[in-house]
Amino acid sequence: MESAVAAPPGGTAAAEKTSGTSGSVPESHSHTSWIEARLCVAGENQETRQRKVQFTIASMLVVPAGFLWGGVYILYGEPGVAPYPIAYSVLTLLDLLLLFRLRRFELFRWVQQVLMFVLPIALQLALGGFVGSSLVILWSFIAVLESLLFGGEREPLWWLAAFVAAVLGVAYLEPGVGIGNHLPRSVVLAFFVGNSVAVMGISFLVLYAFVTDRRRMRQLEVAFLNQEMALRQSEKLATLGGLAAGVAHELNNPAAAARRASEQLRDAFARLQEAERKIASACISPADREALTRLDAEARQRAAKPSDLDPLARSDREAAVEEWLEDRGVPNPWELSPALAAQGLDPAALESLAGSLPAGSVAPIVTWASAVFPVYSLLHEIGEGTSRISEIVGALKSYSYVGQAPVQAVNLHEGIDNTLVILRNKLKAGIAVRRDYAADLPHIAAFGSELNQVWTNILDNAADAMSGRGEIRIRTRRENGWAVVEIEDDGPGIPEDVQPRIFDPFFTTKPVGKGTGLGLSTSHAIVTGKHRGAIGVESRPGRTKFTVRLPIELPAAALEGK
């Protein structure tokens, strides 16, 4: 019986070693497939199935071993003890039959553990103490090992406590250390050595298999973490590439506008200088000079304000101004009328101006007025373009927190606004952003650049989900010691069966090549891990809301990176 019981741990270790060094074992598979088919439960992993099969095979081998062990006791003069191992074999055989009929492995396993625990104790008492029984009670410890392999967290502790209690109980009931049976000393010694070596060997094999599994799992875990880190880095680079492309596009528009305006400004200055020369050659009184000053101020003011006329009304005004200029003999009226109309000079205003000027000075003054307005308009356009570039660069610097400490007092509103600037190229097509910021929200201690990554991932996903059309609402509020940020969109929503998995690494609902499934996983890690906060989602068609809760004061454990 001793050699038979040694089979489960040894078989486990051997099977695991074989499976780790060989691609397939056809012969072993042919022997175990019938048993595995009757023990298989949907959802179990391959390792659990193998342990079930090995445990069952070891139990089957016990049946003839029990009869053999009983025969040894009869042969050496202890027929009264022989029924114990024989009864163990008979009960195990019945347990196997129930297993294959009912297919309830857990019941089978518990019966086997109880039999394995009780039999050595009974033999210990029947053979008279530790020495006389050849220390057979050690085999009860196999039940503890089996509970480690198949039981829950606390079950092995109860089995270990039962084993300790059994050893103490047997020592109390059989205090003698002599041999109180008819077995020869050589047989007792052989069993004593065999029991000790077998049980210790089985324990070693189980521990060895466990340590080997742990090492292999650790290697897999390290490989997985390295792969995840590489993929996260790839995701960050992909996000950075997308943001860089969007920022480059946003910078290109104002830069191109400023360049175009600067090129046009050269021609506008040339026309203005020519108009100045014509005015200088005309007889302009000080009163006329005051009129020019007023026109200059009005042109500067009008250039900073877009026209409130629609294209049709503007065209009508230009035509009326052109006709007025023709009636007064002003050269090239079709060139002058657009600039005059753009600065608000309609025929009535021109008539009022002409009434206060000498007849010979009307043409040069209106020519000058049509030349000065484009100069101011182009200067304003250049200023707007460079201001826009400065705004984007400033937002990008604040977004990345370049040159600043990792943990600092962060203005959540500023971080969200900077993120919106960075994502403007993606949001401006047809997505309206509504902001409802709490006035009493304080600065929080946080990793600013990483929080901006959270806003980027959520807003970018919202924009993708809405296909460029819809509305995003951003709300903030303070709840006791927490800062709460809600980002809600009116997109199609997240399917209910998908919602529990959206923060899982590598899970994505986007098409192949569109996403890696690490955006929300990274956001979850930043919020919950680095900031000890919480992030959740509520979704239904037409409304998806992400809620991020962040502590206003960052916990000490987060500062220490624990």
Side-chain angles (χ1 to χ4, degrees):
M1 180 173 178
E2 289 90 338
S3 59
V5 180
T12 301
E16 289 171 350
K17 184 176 180 180
T18 303
S19 63
T21 57
S22 176
S24 60
V25 188
E27 183 178 354
S28 174
H29 178 74
S30 63
H31 289 318
T32 61
S33 58
W34 183 86
I35 299 175
E36 184 175 353
R38 282 152 181 79
L39 301 178
C40 173
V41 175
E44 285 183 338
N45 56 44
Q46 187 61 30
E47 181 182 359
T48 302
R49 293 183 181 183
Q50 287 180 354
R51 287 183 176 179
K52 283 184 175 182
V53 170
Q54 291 157 6
F55 184 88
T56 305
I57 291 176
S59 299
M60 294 171 68
L61 294 175
V62 163
V63 175
F67 289 113
L68 179 62
W69 199 356
V72 170
Y73 283 137
I74 295 174
L75 180 63
Y76 286 100
E78 286 293 339
V81 181
Y84 292 105
I86 295 174
Y88 176 79
S89 294
V90 172
L91 292 174
T92 297
L93 180 60
L94 294 175
D95 196 21
L96 285 167
L97 294 176
L98 286 175
L99 170 66
F100 294 132
R101 183 174 183 83
L102 302 178
R103 303 195 178 200
R104 294 177 59 184
F105 178 81
E106 196 64 18
L107 175 62
F108 171 75
R109 193 259 299 183
W110 267 93
V111 172
Q112 285 300 296
Q113 284 183 207
V114 171
L115 290 176
M116 176 57 67
F117 186 78
V118 171
L119 173 63
I121 297 173
L123 288 176
Q124 179 101 355
L125 294 173
L127 291 171
F130 290 96
V131 175
S133 67
S134 303
L135 208 61
V136 72
I137 197 170
L138 283 178
W139 285 97
S140 294
F141 190 73
I142 301 299
V144 180
L145 296 179
E146 290 172 350
S147 67
L148 280 172
L149 293 174
F150 297 98
E153 293 183 4
R154 295 188 176 183
E155 182 183 329
L157 299 177
W158 290 110
W159 280 102
L160 179 61
F163 173 76
V164 172
V167 172
L168 295 176
V170 169
Y172 175 77
L173 294 174
E174 295 285 352
V177 293
I179 301 177
N181 53 55
H182 299 90
L183 296 175
R185 288 183 175 272
S186 59
V187 174
V188 172
L189 179 62
F191 275 142
F192 192 97
V193 174
N195 289 336
S196 301
V197 172
V199 175
M200 294 302 104
I202 292 171
S203 301
F204 170 79
L205 290 175
V206 171
L207 182 60
Y208 179 81
F210 173 77
V211 172
T212 302
D213 283 347
R214 290 298 299 168
R215 287 174 179 170
R216 184 161 56 245
M217 288 298 295
R218 181 57 184 166
Q219 292 172 352
L220 291 174
E221 182 181 355
V222 170
F224 174 80
L225 290 175
N226 290 336
Q227 182 182 20
E228 184 177 359
M229 289 176 61
L231 288 173
R232 286 189 186 278
Q233 189 66 21
S234 176
E235 169 79 4
K236 290 181 180 179
L237 291 175
T239 302
L240 180 61
L243 292 178
V247 170
H249 182 78
E250 284 295 299
L251 288 172
N252 182 65
N253 289 336
R259 180 180 179 182
R260 183 175 60 251
S262 65
E263 293 173 352
Q264 295 174 355
L265 190 59
R266 288 194 292 267
D267 296 334
F269 266 122
R271 289 192 297 270
L272 180 60
Q273 288 174 344
E274 180 65 24
E276 292 279 1
R277 283 194 294 270
K278 290 181 179 180
I279 288 179
S281 62
C283 296
I284 303 297
S285 65
D288 296 338
R289 288 289 178 183
E290 291 181 2
L292 288 178
T293 302
R294 288 195 303 272
L295 284 174
D296 184 85
E298 291 176 1
R300 185 186 297 111
Q301 185 178 10
R302 288 278 184 173
K305 296 180 180 180
S307 175
D308 56 354
L309 297 177
D310 59 68
L312 183 59
R314 185 186 302 115
S315 178
D316 291 342
R317 177 181 288 184
E318 290 176 2
V321 170
E322 182 180 345
E323 184 179 353
W324 186 90
L325 294 174
E326 287 178 352
D327 292 344
R328 280 146 187 80
V330 178
N332 305 323
W334 61 88
E335 294 180 357
L336 307 181
S337 59
L340 294 173
Q343 58 186 300
L345 294 175
D346 56 10
L350 290 171
E351 190 65 36
S352 176
L353 176 65
S356 63
L357 297 173
S361 63
V362 172
I365 286 179
V366 295
T367 301
W368 175 87
S370 68
V372 74
F373 181 75
V375 171
Y376 286 129
S377 295
L378 292 170
L379 286 173
H380 177 73
E381 187 175 339
I382 292 173
E384 285 290 307
T386 54
S387 296
R388 176 73 182 129
I389 292 172
S390 178
E391 177 192 0
I392 295 173
V393 172
L396 187 61
K397 183 177 179 180
S398 297
Y399 174 85
S400 60
Y401 285 81
V402 173
Q404 301 183 35
V407 179
Q408 56 190 284
V410 173
N411 185 333
L412 291 179
H413 297 159
E414 183 179 329
I416 294 172
D417 289 340
N418 289 332
T419 303
L420 291 172
V421 170
I422 300 301
L423 292 174
R424 185 176 295 174
N425 181 62
K426 193 166 188 176
L427 299 174
K428 69 181 182 181
I431 297 177
V433 178
R434 304 282 183 263
R435 282 167 274 201
D436 183 12
Y437 291 161
D440 63 342
L441 191 69
H443 291 196
I444 71 170
F447 298 85
S449 60
E450 299 198 18
L451 278 185
N452 286 343
Q453 188 179 351
V454 174
W455 316 138
T456 300
N457 289 334
I458 296 176
L459 290 168
D460 186 65
N461 284 345
D464 286 339
M466 293 188 292
S467 302
R469 292 289 184 274
E471 181 178 276
I472 294 175
R473 290 185 176 273
I474 305 174
R475 292 181 288 268
T476 63
R477 67 178 184 274
R478 178 175 183 171
E479 289 184 359
N480 299 323
W482 297 87
V484 182
V485 179
E486 295 178 347
I487 301 178
E488 180 180 325
D489 67 72
D490 58 1
I494 305 171
E496 188 174 352
D497 59 330
V498 169
Q499 293 180 30
R501 302 179 58 196
I502 61 171
F503 296 116
D504 292 350
F506 311 112
F507 178 78
T508 180
T509 58
K510 295 180 180 179
V512 177
K514 186 72 174 177
T516 62
L518 289 173
L520 289 179
S521 170
T522 301
S523 300
H524 186 272
I526 292 172
V527 173
T528 62
K530 280 218 161 185
H531 293 86
R532 300 302 193 268
I535 180 172
V537 62
E538 302 173 23
S539 184
R540 55 179 170 77
R543 180 179 177 271
T544 298
K545 181 176 71 174
F546 281 86
T547 302
V548 177
R549 297 172 58 86
L550 298 164
I552 294 175
E553 295 296 334
L554 198 61
L559 292 172
E560 296 171 0
K562 295 180 180 179

